[in-house]
């Protein structure tokens, strides 16, 4: 399927419009699935009697997507973009089909693992395609289109998924995406059959193989840590210790030195970004279940809250863009501090509303505040990270930004799931889960000072 190899000296072939449409549609489908699952997961756990594996449904997807993104890049280098795209599409579709037909929660978790492998490859695909197939003048427009493809699912994905689950079945959320994927896949794959040789392809392939093994080790190690937290026996302790050691060793290849000790510059920026994701996206992994179990809110009601969060996250991103234009780089530390302060206060108030210490209506403005803070602070932290890296390391940085998010959210979901599985009554489990994600938000806020000092401001 990789087709004919085009020499470097020849100009790039014209980009078919079908390729652009196919890429946007595929990203739209992956984004909708990602936004929808957290909303319907309480119904899945209820019908499959799988509360003990609740956290794994999110962690399996995130950890396998981390590895899938790196694997997709290696396959693109070795076999061509078309091969990598086909494999990712097949894995994602297989995961959707298995997930829709799952008879048990364990099978559903395995389906999520398949979905993650495919989603990771598909998430990395647009970056590879845009950098190799599109002329420089067209790349900015295509990147904007890809980013916009995440906007609609963030706004309406949770609400639509919850309505589908309430009116029909949670399985419809997965079944319904398969025909859409089948229609959009040829638009994306067929134009990629012609392979373009890249400079230093052999050297890049060797480097990617090293990163591939490190990503596999990180995924397995983090998975061992999540399972170790879930188990209350000697094996759980052994898995937990092995997981911590494996995560520490594998991250030395994937991330800059000093990240875990918040070294100044890029390492601190990555950790602050990861902790912010830990706080908000980690809370998202168990928030619908907590609202349903503790406050009796329907999936549609929980979906409305998540959709409000998507709207305000987007609004926060626009606000920070205006502030960046008006005040420049010097205002980033202040924006990050203000945004992450909003995250910490928002998560704390959300916890009070969900746990019954405050009226239920408090959850709505509280979650809006948390997501608005993410839009401002999270994006500003990403800009800070980009300014801390050299232009030659832009590709490596994009992988680090994605990987730290996947790792930290997987750990947050795993910790929350372990508490839900092991602590009774459930309100105690959710209290501890909120405390963990709030701790992540507070730690991120405290460590913003490291960014200020390293930026020289």
């Amino acid at each position: 399927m990789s087709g004919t190899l085009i020499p470097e000296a020849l100009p790039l072939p014209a980009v078919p419009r079908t390729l652009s449409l196919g890429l946007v549609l595929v990203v739209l489908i992956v984004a909708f699935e990602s936004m929808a699952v957290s909303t319907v997961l309480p119904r899945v756990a209820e019908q499959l009697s799988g509360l003990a594996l609740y956290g794994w449904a999110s962690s399996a997807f995130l950890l396998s997507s981390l590895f899938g993104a790196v694997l997709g890049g290696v396959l693109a280098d070795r076999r061509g973009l078309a091969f990598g795209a086909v494999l990712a599409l097949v894995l994602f579709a297989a995961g959707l089909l298995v997930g829709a037909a799952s008879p048990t929660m364990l099978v559903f978790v395995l389906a999520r693992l398949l979905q993650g492998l495919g989603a990771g490859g598909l998430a990395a695909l647009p970056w590879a395609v845009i950098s190799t197939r599109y002329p420089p003048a067209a790349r900015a427009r295509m990147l904007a289109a890809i980013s916009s493809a995440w906007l609609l699912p963030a706004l309406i994905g949770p609400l639509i998924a919850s309505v589908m689950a309430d009116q029909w079945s949670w399985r419809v959320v997965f079944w319904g995406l398969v025909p859409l994927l089948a229609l959009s896949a040829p638009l994306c794959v067929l134009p990629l059959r012609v392979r373009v040789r890249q400079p230093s392809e052999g050297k890049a392939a060797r480097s990617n193989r090293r990163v591939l093994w490190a990503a596999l080790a990180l995924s397995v190690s983090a998975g061992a840590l999540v399972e170790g937290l879930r188990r209350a026996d000697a094996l759980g302790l052994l898995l937990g210790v092995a997981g911590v050691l494996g995560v520490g060793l594998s991250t030395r290849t994937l991330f800059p030195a000093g990240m875990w000790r918040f070294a100044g510059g890029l390492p601190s920026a990555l950790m602050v970004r990861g902790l912010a994701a830990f706080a908000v996206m980690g809370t998202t992994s168990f928030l619908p279940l907590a609202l349903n179990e503790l406050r009796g809110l329907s999936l549609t009601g929980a979906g409305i809250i998540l959709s409000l969060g998507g709207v305000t996250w987007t609004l926060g991103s626009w606000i920070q863009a205006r502030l960046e234009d008006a005040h420049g780089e010097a205002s980033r530390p202040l924006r990050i501090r203000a945004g992450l302060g909003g995250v910490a206060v928002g998560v704390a108030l959300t916890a009070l509303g969900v746990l019954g210490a405050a009226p239920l209506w408090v959850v709505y403005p509280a979650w809006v505040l948390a997501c608005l803070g993410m839009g401002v602070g999270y994006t500003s932290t990403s800009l800070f990270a980009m300014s801390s890296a050299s232009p030659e390391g832009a590709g490596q940085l994009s992988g680090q930004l994605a990987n730290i998010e996947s790792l930290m959210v997987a750990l947050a979901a795993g910790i929350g799931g372990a508490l839900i599985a092991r602590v009774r009554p459930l309100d105690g489990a959710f209290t501890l889960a909120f405390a963990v994600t709030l701790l992540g938000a507070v730690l991120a806020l405290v460590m913003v000072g490291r960014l200020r000092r390293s930026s020289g401001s």
Side-chain angles (χ1 to χ4, degrees), residues 2 29 35 49 107 142 156 176 214 236 239 303 318 320 353 376 388 394 407:
S2 59
I29 292 168
M35 298 294 175
S49 303
V107 174
M142 196 59 203
I156 65 173
L239 288 172
W318 289 342
Q320 76 79 30
V376 175
S388 301
L407 174 62

Coordinates of all heavy atoms in Angstrom, one line a residue, residues 2 29 35 49 107 142 156 176 214 236 239 303 318 320 353 376 388 394 407:
S2 N 2.1 1.1 0.3 CA 2.9 2.3 0.4 C 3.2 2.9 -0.9 O 3.6 4.1 -1.0 CB 4.2 2.0 1.1 OG 5.0 1.0 0.5
I29 N -14.2 12.0 14.5 CA -14.8 10.8 15.1 C -14.0 10.4 16.3 O -14.6 10.0 17.4 CB -14.7 9.7 14.0 CG1 -15.7 10.0 12.9 CG2 -15.0 8.3 14.6 CD1 -15.5 9.1 11.7
M35 N -14.7 12.2 24.0 CA -15.5 13.0 24.8 C -16.7 12.3 25.3 O -17.3 12.6 26.4 CB -16.0 14.3 24.0 CG -14.8 15.2 23.6 SD -14.0 15.9 25.0 CE -12.6 16.8 24.2
S49 N -21.8 -4.8 35.5 CA -21.3 -5.1 36.9 C -19.8 -4.9 37.0 O -19.1 -5.8 37.5 CB -21.8 -6.5 37.3 OG -23.2 -6.6 37.2
V107 N -13.9 -7.4 29.1 CA -13.9 -7.3 27.6 C -14.0 -5.9 27.2 O -13.3 -5.4 26.2 CB -15.0 -8.1 27.0 CG1 -15.1 -7.9 25.5 CG2 -14.9 -9.6 27.3
M142 N -4.4 24.1 7.7 CA -4.8 22.7 8.0 C -4.7 22.4 9.5 O -5.6 21.7 10.0 CB -3.9 21.7 7.2 CG -4.5 20.3 7.1 SD -6.1 20.3 6.4 CE -6.7 18.7 7.1
I156 N -20.6 19.4 22.3 CA -21.9 18.6 22.3 C -21.7 17.1 22.5 O -22.7 16.4 22.6 CB -22.6 18.9 21.0 CG1 -21.9 18.4 19.8 CG2 -22.9 20.4 20.8 CD1 -22.7 18.4 18.5
G176 N -22.6 3.4 16.4 CA -22.9 4.5 15.5 C -21.7 5.1 14.8 O -21.8 5.7 13.7
A214 N 10.8 2.8 24.7 CA 10.6 3.6 25.9 C 9.1 3.8 26.2 O 8.6 3.8 27.3 CB 11.3 4.9 25.8
G236 N -0.3 -6.8 44.4 CA -0.6 -5.4 44.2 C 0.6 -4.5 44.6 O 1.0 -3.6 43.9
L239 N 3.4 -5.1 42.1 CA 3.1 -4.3 40.8 C 3.3 -2.8 41.0 O 3.8 -2.2 40.1 CB 1.7 -4.6 40.4 CG 1.4 -6.0 39.8 CD1 -0.1 -6.2 39.6 CD2 2.2 -6.2 38.5
G303 N -24.0 15.0 31.3 CA -23.5 15.4 30.0 C -23.6 16.9 29.8 O -22.7 17.5 29.2
W318 N -9.6 31.1 24.0 CA -9.7 32.3 23.2 C -9.2 33.6 24.0 O -8.6 34.5 23.5 CB -11.1 32.5 22.7 CG -11.5 31.6 21.6 CD1 -10.7 30.8 20.9 CD2 -12.8 31.2 21.3 NE1 -11.4 30.0 20.0 CE2 -12.7 30.3 20.2 CE3 -14.1 31.6 21.7 CZ2 -13.9 29.7 19.6 CZ3 -15.2 31.1 21.1 CH2 -15.1 30.1 20.0
Q320 N -7.1 33.6 26.5 CA -5.6 33.7 26.6 C -4.9 34.1 25.4 O -3.9 34.7 25.4 CB -5.1 32.3 27.2 CG -5.0 31.2 26.2 CD -3.8 31.3 25.2 OE1 -2.8 31.8 25.6 NE2 -4.0 30.8 24.0
G353 N -20.0 20.4 45.9 CA -21.3 20.3 45.4 C -21.7 18.8 45.1 O -22.8 18.4 45.4
V376 N -7.3 29.0 30.0 CA -6.4 30.1 30.1 C -5.0 29.5 30.5 O -4.0 29.8 29.9 CB -6.8 31.1 31.2 CG1 -5.7 32.2 31.4 CG2 -8.1 31.8 30.7
S388 N 10.4 27.4 25.5 CA 11.5 26.9 26.2 C 12.3 25.9 25.4 O 13.4 25.5 25.8 CB 11.1 26.2 27.5 OG 10.4 27.2 28.3
A394 N 11.0 20.9 17.9 CA 9.6 21.1 17.9 C 8.8 19.8 17.8 O 7.8 19.6 18.4 CB 9.2 22.0 16.7
L407 N -0.1 10.3 30.2 CA 0.4 9.6 31.4 C -0.3 10.1 32.6 O -0.8 9.3 33.5 CB 1.9 9.9 31.5 CG 2.6 9.3 32.8 CD1 2.4 7.8 32.9 CD2 4.1 9.8 32.8

